[in-house]
């Protein structure tokens, strides 16, 4: 069994868990790994994956991709709304 820590900012944990725990269930089922989160402690920025080495690696890659996509989406929306705000300002 392999244990691996993944650095995930506390703000991004909700995306790993997903709505009603759907993303977390998918990770556990599809990759056959256990996922452990710190107890409501925003000072710890990592989660722990446990399982077979290859499955832990695949789950880590999936989680990294998922969180990167969420950051890109939020950045896009942020820039979009900033642009709308700027474009609505009359000089």
């Amino acid at each position: 069994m392999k244990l691996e820590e993944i650095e995930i900012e506390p703000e991004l944990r909700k995306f790993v868990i997903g709505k009603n725990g759907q993303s977390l269930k998918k990770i556990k089922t599809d990759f056959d790994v256990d996922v452990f989160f710190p107890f409501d402690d925003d000072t710890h920025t990592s989660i722990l994956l446990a399982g077979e080495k290859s499955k832990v690696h695949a789950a880590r890659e999936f989680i990294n991709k998922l969180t990167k996509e969420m950051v890109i989406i939020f950045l896009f929306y942020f820039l979009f709304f900033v642009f709308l705000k700027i474009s609505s300002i009359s000089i």
Side-chain angles (χ1 to χ4, degrees), residues 60-73:
R60 178 177 45 101
E61 293 300 315
F62 177 81
I63 292 169
N64 285 337
K65 181 181 176 195
L66 177 67
T67 55
K68 285 178 185 173
E69 287 174 356
M70 293 299 110
V71 168
I72 290 169
I73 289 169

Side-chain angles (χ1 to χ4, degrees), residues 74-88:
F74 273 116
L75 181 59
F76 172 78
Y77 280 111
F78 174 76
L79 293 174
F80 177 73
F81 287 114
V82 167
F83 174 76
L84 284 178
K85 184 69 173 173
I86 291 171
S87 63
S88 68

Side-chain angles (χ1 to χ4, degrees), residues 5 26 38 40 46 50 59 63 73 76 89:
E5 280 188 82
K26 177 178 177 52
D40 295 331
S46 61
I63 292 169
I73 289 169
F76 172 78
I89 297 173

Side-chain angles (χ1 to χ4, degrees), residues 12-26 66 70:
L12 296 175
R13 285 187 206 148
K14 62 184 174 187
F15 300 113
V16 175
I17 296 169
K19 185 176 182 179
N20 296 321
Q22 290 300 313
S23 294
L24 183 57
K25 289 175 192 171
K26 177 178 177 52
L66 177 67
M70 293 299 110

Side-chain angles (χ1 to χ4, degrees), residues 2-39:
K2 173 149 174 85
L3 296 174
E4 186 170 335
E5 280 188 82
I6 304 175
E7 293 295 318
I8 302 287
E9 292 300 320
E11 299 82 20
L12 296 175
R13 285 187 206 148
K14 62 184 174 187
F15 300 113
V16 175
I17 296 169
K19 185 176 182 179
N20 296 321
Q22 290 300 313
S23 294
L24 183 57
K25 289 175 192 171
K26 177 178 177 52
I27 293 165
K28 289 181 172 185
T29 303
D30 290 0
F31 299 102
D32 192 27
V33 296
D34 290 316
V35 183
F36 302 96
F37 291 87
F39 296 104

